[in-house]
Amino acid sequence: LVMGPTVADLVAGGFLTPTRIFAPAEAPDLSGVRTKGGDYDASALADAMGAPRLVGDAVEHYRRHAAGLPAILFSPSVAHAEGMAEAFRAAGFRAVAASGETAAAERDAAIAGLATGAVQVLCSCDLISEGLDVPVVGAVILLRPTKSLGLYLQQVGRGLRPAEGKTHLIVLDHAGNTLRHGPPEMPREWSLEGRPKRKKKDDDAPPARQCSECFAVHAPAPACPERRGARTDLHACARRPPLEIRDRERAVSGRGSQ
């Protein structure tokens, strides 16, 4: 097996864009989703990932961390993609759904809209191999949980192309994929002999950590990279309260005004 440059190498060389990853405090409940062909069953995923809390969180996280940036959202089904596009439009964003079933002209117009600004959020299903290559994309929204490392890296990879003025890619992970597989830049061992059996000590070591303050996902480190003082924009750690805290505050405020 001839190894090419790693994602980290390509980022360091300026050929790919570094990522900043944020995820909700709670991972999606996939306890009722069976595995089929080595990955989660897509039909069952659509129901699990269509829960109102997940839909609302996805819209709110985009508004908080990436509002207005061209974004690609990955859905587990066509119906889910259409529902997410409707939710984003209801929140005031220019969103469309496209899939492998979409007519070619309509699909191409939706993808081209990301570059022109006509589309802010492209809610996609099965578009990994459909020419979805738009360097200006500034965010990817993961709503398609997967056990496949390759599929996860392909999804995030759609936003890693560098573009003028683009300093990083925002990854909004509502699928738990970054905590399951680790950040895209982390080192990985590839083999033609399948995955080696890992020792128990390695199994206990998570590939990524999540900050308890800002919910950024990062490689294991003593401190959250969003809290090192290098960030001075609105994404800075603890600058805004978590969704769950804000929801509780709203609920209390609502009861008090009744």
Side-chain angles (χ1 to χ4, degrees), residues 60-115:
E60 178 63 18
H61 274 201
Y62 174 75
R63 187 191 306 278
R64 182 191 305 177
H65 295 294
L69 289 179
I72 301 173
L73 182 150
F74 292 96
S75 284
S77 73
V78 174
H80 184 275
E82 293 173 346
M84 291 305 306
E86 183 177 349
F88 273 91
R89 287 195 296 269
F93 297 108
R94 297 186 295 277
V96 297
S99 70
E101 301 176 3
T102 305
E106 183 180 347
R107 183 183 65 229
D108 293 345
I111 295 173
L114 286 171

Side-chain angles (χ1 to χ4, degrees), residues 20-24 65 171 178-179 208-219 224-227 235-238:
R20 292 173 65 194
I21 306 168
F22 298 90
H65 295 294
V171 178
T178 54
L179 290 170
R209 292 181 181 176
Q210 185 172 25
C211 177
S212 61
E213 295 290 338
C214 70
F215 302 119
V217 178
H218 57 88
C224 170
E226 300 291 322
R227 304 180 66 184
H235 305 296
C237 182

Side-chain angles (χ1 to χ4, degrees), residues 21-226:
I21 306 168
F22 298 90
E26 297 180 10
D29 181 8
L30 303 179
S31 58
V33 180
R34 63 180 179 177
T35 298
K36 185 177 180 181
D39 205 352
Y40 295 112
D41 180 62
S43 59
L45 268 184
D47 292 334
M49 299 306 293
R53 177 181 64 83
L54 288 172
V55 174
D57 280 1
V59 174
E60 178 63 18
H61 274 201
Y62 174 75
R63 187 191 306 278
R64 182 191 305 177
H65 295 294
L69 289 179
I72 301 173
L73 182 150
F74 292 96
S75 284
S77 73
V78 174
H80 184 275
E82 293 173 346
M84 291 305 306
E86 183 177 349
F88 273 91
R89 287 195 296 269
F93 297 108
R94 297 186 295 277
V96 297
S99 70
E101 301 176 3
T102 305
E106 183 180 347
R107 183 183 65 229
D108 293 345
I111 295 173
L114 286 171
T116 64
V119 174
Q120 291 174 311
V121 182
L122 174 62
C123 302
S124 68
C125 176
D126 297 331
L127 283 183
I128 287 295
S129 59
E130 298 291 338
L132 189 51
D133 183 16
V134 186
V136 74
V137 166
V140 294
I141 306 171
L142 306 181
L143 278 162
R144 200 283 191 211
T146 180
K147 294 183 178 181
S148 168
L149 172 62
L151 178 57
Y152 156 65
L153 291 176
Q154 281 184 310
Q155 290 179 345
V156 176
R158 293 304 175 185
L160 291 179
R161 287 279 304 278
E164 184 177 356
K166 181 177 174 181
T167 59
H168 53 267
L169 171 72
I170 296 291
V171 178
L172 304 178
D173 182 12
H174 296 265
N177 288 335
T178 54
L179 290 170
R180 183 178 298 113
H181 300 294
E185 298 95 335
M186 72 174 289
R188 294 178 171 87
E189 293 185 8
W190 303 95
S191 172
L192 296 176
E193 301 177 357
R195 293 183 180 180
K197 186 175 181 180
R198 297 188 300 175
K199 298 180 180 179
K200 185 64 171 65
K201 182 174 67 174
D202 294 330
D203 290 334
D204 293 337
R209 292 181 181 176
Q210 185 172 25
C211 177
S212 61
E213 295 290 338
C214 70
F215 302 119
V217 178
H218 57 88
C224 170
E226 300 291 322

